[in-house]
Amino acid sequence: SEAKVLTVSGFELRTKAAEAGMEASLNLLENTAEGTICLRLPDLGPLSEFAGRPLGGSLSLDAQIKGPLVNPRITAQARGHKIKLGDRDLPDVRMAVSARDLLQRPAGQVRIDLSAQKRTLQALGDFLLDRGDLRLSRLSLKAPGAEISGDLRIATDNPVAEGRLKGRFDDLELLSVWLGEAVGGSAAFEAEFSRKAGAQDLVAALYAKELTTRFGDAGEVALQVQLA
């Protein structure tokens, strides 16, 4: 009945630093909820002291919640415009997250798109938080001439990772905008992470060709690394 539904409509909060709004309904008979939340930060500059580095640009966030109170599903989209992080400039930042089962075994998907100098870097993957382990699966990071993929499991009580990552970089010069310095050449790597006696173990192979960096140039580089 209508008496069993609580509704919040047209809620707004405005300050000099932020604007927020909310629409929500709660069905007490079916124990379900549905609503939207929006947040606007027109100037990130005042948050620089809190972040410990210079910030700039604007940020907007829109989130939707729907489903049973004990297991709602949440989707959220964020967008940054002319973002400044220290000495890094990111003209366009977009992020999308969907999550479910937040109270027991939070799981979902995340996607991040960064654009700068007409180049886009995209990262996406699935996540699951289960019994103190954060599992990241179907990880993918793509940029012009580059791709990294793999799966990882990270203990939340001890930052030790297990899993594999592999990647290729056809033209490292295209990544200079993200690395913050000029590099060139091509490279590929494979890395396997494991846990031994509660400590991090890493076995990795790196191959690079016609490598150029601020430290010097190298025609060909092949490395085998093992950390235990």
Side-chain angles (χ1 to χ4, degrees):
S1 65
E2 294 184 0
K4 296 296 184 179
V5 177
L6 298 179
T7 301
V8 176
S9 179
F11 174 81
E12 292 186 356
L13 177 64
R14 297 175 182 268
T15 69
K16 292 182 178 180
E19 298 178 4
M22 182 176 68
E23 302 273 349
S25 64
L26 174 64
N27 190 313
L28 301 177
L29 189 63
E30 299 180 358
N31 288 324
T32 60
E34 182 175 356
T36 60
I37 299 173
C38 63
L39 176 66
R40 305 286 183 263
L41 300 172
D43 182 9
L44 297 176
L47 299 178
S48 299
E49 184 175 354
F50 176 79
R53 64 175 63 185
L55 297 179
S58 61
L59 180 67
S60 63
L61 172 68
D62 294 278
Q64 302 81 38
I65 181 171
K66 185 176 182 179
L69 291 177
V70 295
N71 185 19
R73 184 175 185 88
I74 294 177
T75 59
Q77 306 82 36
R79 183 171 185 181
H81 183 61
K82 294 184 178 180
I83 297 296
K84 181 178 180 61
L85 297 174
D87 58 356
R88 297 286 182 88
D89 293 318
L90 299 172
D92 187 42
V93 178
R94 303 186 187 208
M95 180 176 180
V97 179
S98 63
R100 62 188 182 277
D101 206 4
L102 298 179
L103 300 180
Q104 298 181 13
R105 298 173 72 241
Q109 297 80 38
V110 61
R111 172 174 171 166
I112 301 173
D113 293 275
L114 306 178
S115 298
Q117 297 182 15
K118 297 182 179 180
R119 297 172 183 171
T120 299
L121 182 150
Q122 180 189 91
L124 54 88
D126 300 338
F127 65 88
L128 170 65
L129 183 60
D130 183 31
R131 299 179 182 178
D133 283 344
L134 176 60
R135 302 181 184 183
L136 304 173
S137 58
R138 298 195 299 175
L139 291 174
S140 174
L141 188 151
K142 295 181 180 180
E147 182 174 3
I148 297 175
S149 61
D151 301 274
L152 290 174
R153 183 172 66 180
I154 304 172
T156 56
D157 59 346
N158 183 12
V160 176
E162 296 179 271
R164 293 184 177 184
L165 291 176
K166 64 178 181 179
R168 63 168 183 81
F169 308 91
D170 299 333
D171 186 354
L172 290 171
E173 185 178 0
L174 296 176
L175 296 180
S176 297
V177 62
W178 309 113
L179 299 176
E181 61 180 83
V183 293
S186 61
F189 78 92
E190 291 188 6
E192 182 173 353
F193 303 83
S194 60
R195 181 189 309 184
K196 291 187 178 179
Q200 183 69 69
D201 188 80
L202 169 64
V203 177
L206 170 67
Y207 174 76
K209 187 177 180 180
E210 298 178 357
L211 186 64
T212 60
T213 71
R214 62 188 175 94
F215 302 105
D217 303 339
E220 187 171 330
V221 176
L223 293 176
Q224 296 284 339
V225 178
Q226 181 169 3
L227 300 176

